[in-house]
Structures are given as C-alpha cells and as structure tokens.
C-alpha cells in the first residue's frame, strides 16, 4: 500500500491538497482512502460530504474517514487504563493523580496509527492519503512509536513473565485485568513498531509539506523538513499553495506579488533538489469533488500523484576503525541548537524543542561517543569501542 501524509502550518490548505490527491489517485483506478487525523476536521467540508469515524465510500474507488478519537480509543483500548491505573496505585500515587497518569502519552495520536496499521495489514486499499494535523501535532504523531518504546521500558522494568504471572493473580482476586491490559500494551507496542517501520520506508511512505509563499509559513516548513529528517522520514515534495496568478496582479497587490516571487525563489533554492509542486489561488473557496478535481489537475500536471517523487535516506551508518559513523541529514539545522548525548544503547539528539531518541543495537551499549560535529547540513556522530 502506498501512503502519503500531508503536513504543514495550520491554514495552508493541507485538507484541500490531500482531498485533491485522493481524487486523482482514485481516478486512476486505485482503491484510495483519504483519512483526516486532525481533531479540527475539515475534510467533510472540503468534500461537501458528511463523514464519520469509519470509512465511507464517496465515489468510485474513493473512501473517506474522519477519525473520532474517543471512538478509536474505545475500539482499540479496553484494559489498558486499568493496567496503568493499577501500576501507578502500586507505586503509591494518589487516586486522582493516578487517573490522570493512566493515559499513555500520545494515546489519542496512537489511535490514528492503529487504523493505519489495520489498513496496511489487511491490504484493503491501494493508496492511503493522510490529512494530518498542523505541523506540531503531526510531529507528535510521528514520534509516538519511539516515545512509547522509551516510556514502556521505564514504566515496566519487570520481565514479561513476572507481570503476566502477577497479573493473573490480581485478576482472580480483584477482577482488575492487569495481565490482559499488559498484553494489550505489548500488542500496541508491536503495532507502533510496525507502523514506524512502514513510515520509515521511503518506497512505501512519503511526507509532503504544504506551504504558502509567505515568510512565516516557509520558515515553519523548513523547520518541519529538518525535524522529519531527524526522525528518519522521507519528504518527497514541497507543495506551494495559493500562489496569486498573473491575472490577479494590480497596484493593490503589487507588493504582495513581489514578495511572493521572492519567497517562491527562496523555496526553490532552499529545498532543491526536492520537487516543488505549485497551485494557484482559485480566487474562491474550494468545496466539492468538481473543484477539487481542478486542483488535482493543476497540482499533478507534471507528476504522478502516487509515485515517490523524491527518495533520500536521512540516516546513513558506516563502519570506521574501531567503531561506527552515523550521518543524519538536518537541512536547516543550526549547530548551536544541537545537543547530542549517549546513554547506554540510547542516542539522544535535541534540536531546539524537539528530541529524538535513537535506539542503537545492543552491541553499542558499551561503545562511547567519540565525537560529533555538524557540517554541510549533516550531523556526524562517531561511536567507538571501549576497552573491556
């Protein structure tokens, strides 16, 4: 299954672009689902069709869905809250606080992953288009598998067997399904790991950043691009939306035209060699299948909507004398805002307010970080073996 995720600053037109892409894919005979993971849904408005928490067929080869977080959590989590609540009560946490803590970090975002994993495993669709939340929430979603892995390892240091054995006894005496909850947690973790691998496969999944030719939007797009590289995801295109067409030029818009031209040149230069897809401002709101078809024709005039438009691995590992060298592409990062630390088999990279935990192979536990430096948009880290 081909997966394409659209992200970008709020208000740039992600939903319109995602819906137009889905319509184009479906028109080529591909079974296509467009799914909105943004809590502030607007997909139904863009399509002018009422949607629900399950996929609804809205045209030939085309389905659409707006995630309902409470519906999804109820669908995918049964005993987990009981598990969390019991563990925290064991640790002496007061009841009210334990209730607050008993939700796994990112559980709401995780429900989106459960749907994606389901569709991928069941091979229901040829193409999955994701209309994501604004950039910050999208990054929270995409980092969930790694965050959850770290969280579970800290919250449950006991062995699986011990938890399951103790849990069975607790269920018999108190009725609290501790062991069943832990099994659900393990199942959740397995699925999150799987979907992270799928999202990291540049042959399957592409991230596309939607932007307008405006300073604040382009700056956020550059940050998003860098963070996506940090997390190991492939961005295969930048989409510049709402470009004023030549016929709209007038004395009133003269300064805006000049600045747009400058920002478009900046994007083309800064993001090269990424493809830059351009969509002109329609001069009106875009609602309904017909208007979205017009957008898709303009958007994919020179490209196929479902092909991988650009491919590059953000991570590269190579062997050096007595160790390994890790290269991470971070296009718009600045060295003063980069911090790198190693704790056992965890490599922790901090960039501005974002943190990436890279779980190294077990053998790296006893290696030390020799040095790291940032040059030509690449973070280079050397790990060397220590003498036992």
């Amino acid at each position: 299954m081909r997966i394409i995720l659209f992200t970008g600053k709020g208000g740039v037109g992600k939903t319109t672009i995602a819906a137009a892409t889905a319509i184009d894919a479906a028109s080529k005979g591909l079974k296509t689902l467009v799914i909105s993971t943004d809590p502030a849904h607007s997909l139904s408005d863009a399509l002018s069709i009422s949607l629900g928490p399950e996929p609804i067929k809205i045209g030939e080869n085309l389905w659409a869905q707006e995630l309902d977080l409470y519906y999804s959590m109820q669908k995918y989590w049964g005993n987990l809250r009981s598990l969390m609540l019991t563990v925290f009560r064991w640790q002496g946490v007061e009841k009210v606080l334990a209730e607050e803590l008993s939700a796994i970090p990112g559980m709401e975002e995780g429900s989106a992953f459960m749907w994606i994993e389901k569709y991928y495993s069941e091979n229901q669709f040829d193409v999955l288009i994701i209309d994501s939340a604004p950039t910050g929430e999208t990054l929270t979603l995409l980092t969930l598998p790694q965050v959850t892995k770290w969280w579970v390892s800290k919250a449950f240091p006991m062995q699986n067997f011990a938890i399951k054995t103790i849990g069975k006894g607790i269920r018999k005496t108190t009725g609290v399904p501790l062991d069943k909850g832990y099994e659900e947690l393990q199942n959740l973790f397995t699925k999150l790991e799987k979907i992270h691998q799928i999202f990291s496969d540049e042959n399957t999944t592409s991230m596309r950043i939607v932007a307008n030719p405006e300073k604040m939007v382009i700056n956020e797009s550059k940050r998003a691009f860098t963070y996506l590289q940090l997390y190991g995801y492939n961005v295969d295109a930048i989409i510049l939306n709402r470009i004023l067409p030549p016929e709209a030029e007038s004395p009133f818009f003269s300064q805006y035209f000049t600045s747009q031209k400058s920002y478009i040149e900046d994007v083309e230069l800064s993001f090269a060699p990424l493809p830059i897809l351009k969509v002109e401002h329609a001069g009106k709101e875009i609602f309904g299948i017909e208007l979205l078809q017009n957008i898709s024709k303009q958007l994919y005039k020179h490209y196929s909507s479902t092909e991988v438009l650009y491919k590059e691995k953000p991570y590269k590992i190579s062997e050096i004398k007595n160790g390994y060298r890790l290269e991470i592409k971070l296009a718009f990062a600045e060295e003063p805002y980069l911090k790198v630390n190693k704790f056992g088999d965890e490599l922790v990279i901090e960039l501005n307010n974002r943190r990436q935990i890279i779980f190294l192979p077990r053998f790296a536990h006893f290696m030390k970080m020799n040095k790291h430096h940032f040059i030509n948009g690449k973070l280079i880290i050397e790990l060397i073996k220590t003498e036992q």
Side-chain angles (χ1 to χ4, degrees):
M1 187 172 74
R2 182 81 168 94
I3 301 173
I4 305 171
L5 183 146
F6 291 91
T7 187
K9 187 175 174 62
V12 296
K14 292 187 306 297
T15 300
T16 299
I17 298 300
T21 302
I23 289 169
D24 184 78
S27 72
K28 292 175 171 56
L30 300 171
K31 289 184 65 178
T32 304
L33 170 66
V34 55
I35 179 171
S36 171
T37 64
D38 188 344
H41 295 300
S42 56
L43 182 59
S44 57
D45 294 328
L47 293 167
S48 292
I49 297 172
S50 179
L51 302 176
E54 296 277 352
I56 295 173
K57 189 170 185 179
I58 62 172
E60 188 175 358
N61 298 316
L62 184 59
W63 286 258
Q65 177 183 10
E66 287 184 334
L67 287 190
D68 182 305
L69 298 178
Y70 294 103
Y71 177 90
S72 300
M73 288 167 65
Q74 188 174 19
K75 184 180 178 77
Y76 288 108
W77 283 279
N79 299 310
L80 283 187
R81 278 187 63 84
S82 296
L83 168 66
M84 301 292 109
L85 183 59
T86 302
V87 168
F88 286 120
R89 293 293 297 278
W90 274 355
Q91 295 176 352
V93 177
E94 292 183 6
K95 184 176 180 180
V96 175
L97 182 57
E99 285 282 358
E100 291 295 318
L101 292 172
S102 60
I104 302 172
M107 183 180 282
E108 291 183 345
E109 291 85 358
S111 63
F113 269 128
M114 295 300 98
W115 286 102
I116 295 166
E117 192 277 335
K118 168 184 164 66
Y119 296 139
Y120 186 86
S121 297
E122 296 177 357
N123 200 26
Q124 296 184 46
F125 301 99
D126 300 312
V127 182
L128 177 61
I129 306 294
I130 303 172
D131 170 30
S132 73
T135 309
E137 289 85 344
T138 299
L139 292 172
T140 300
L141 169 71
L142 295 176
T143 57
L144 180 65
Q146 294 145 312
V147 172
T148 304
K149 181 176 181 178
W150 180 88
W151 189 88
V152 169
S153 68
K154 304 304 178 187
F156 298 98
M158 307 183 241
Q159 295 296 318
N160 294 357
F161 177 77
I163 291 179
K164 290 181 179 179
T165 302
I166 295 170
K168 287 180 181 178
I170 291 173
R171 176 155 53 93
K172 288 179 181 178
T173 57
T174 67
V176 177
L178 183 62
D179 56 322
K180 296 295 183 183
Y182 184 73
E183 288 176 9
E184 285 186 15
L185 181 62
Q186 289 292 87
N187 184 48
L188 165 65
F189 174 65
T190 300
K191 289 184 175 182
L192 288 175
E193 282 280 278
K194 179 180 176 181
I195 204 67
H196 178 252
Q197 293 171 4
I198 293 167
F199 271 34
S200 300
D201 180 2
E202 70 274 16
N203 295 310
T204 300
T205 304
S206 296
M207 310 289 164
R208 293 181 184 170
I209 299 174
V210 183
N212 301 147
E214 300 170 4
K215 182 177 181 179
M216 289 178 62
V217 177
I218 291 171
N219 286 343
E220 178 157 333
S221 298
K222 290 178 179 179
R223 286 191 290 269
F225 182 55
T226 303
Y227 293 143
L228 288 169
Q229 288 186 315
L230 174 64
Y231 298 135
Y233 298 116
N234 184 55
V235 177
D236 79 341
I238 305 295
I239 297 169
L240 275 178
N241 190 28
R242 297 178 185 151
I243 299 172
L244 288 179
E247 57 267 27
E249 190 168 4
S250 68
F252 182 79
F253 282 114
S254 61
Q255 188 174 349
Y256 196 74
F257 263 91
T258 301
S259 63
Q260 272 208 351
K261 184 179 179 182
S262 172
Y263 293 136
I264 292 170
E265 290 173 353
D266 177 28
V267 168
E268 291 175 335
L269 180 64
S270 300
F271 287 97
L274 273 180
I276 310 298
L277 283 60
K278 299 174 183 177
V279 180
E280 291 185 349
H281 201 297
K284 57 185 174 182
E285 293 182 290
I286 305 297
F287 296 119
I289 302 292
E290 186 176 345
L291 291 177
L292 289 168
Q293 285 175 330
N294 294 335
I295 294 293
S296 70
K297 290 174 183 176
Q298 185 181 168
L299 181 61
Y300 297 109
K301 184 164 47 178
H302 304 296
Y303 300 92
S304 171
S305 60
T306 57
E307 285 186 9
V308 180
L309 304 180
Y310 182 78
K311 197 185 301 184
E312 183 177 48
K313 284 188 175 292
Y315 292 176
K316 181 182 177 182
I317 300 177
S318 56
E319 193 169 357
I320 59 174
K321 183 179 180 181
N322 205 34
Y324 295 88
R325 170 189 171 108
L326 174 63
E327 293 184 14
I328 304 174
K329 296 202 75 171
L330 302 172
F332 302 105
E334 297 178 29
E335 189 166 17
Y337 301 101
L338 269 171
K339 294 181 182 178
V340 184
N341 290 290
K342 181 181 180 293
F343 304 98
D345 59 357
E346 296 177 9
L347 192 64
V348 181
I349 303 171
E350 295 182 62
L351 175 59
N352 296 322
N353 63 338
R354 294 286 168 184
R355 174 183 293 183
Q356 162 71 324
I357 299 174
I358 298 175
F359 289 88
L360 301 169
R362 286 290 180 186
F363 64 77
H365 185 94
F366 298 104
M367 302 181 79
K368 71 175 183 178
M369 187 168 63
N370 182 37
K371 61 181 179 179
H372 70 273
H373 59 278
F374 185 72
I375 184 170
N376 296 330
K378 291 182 182 179
L379 173 62
I380 299 171
I381 303 166
E382 289 187 4
L383 302 174
I384 62 171
K385 299 172 185 175
T386 58
E387 295 185 10
Q388 300 297 313

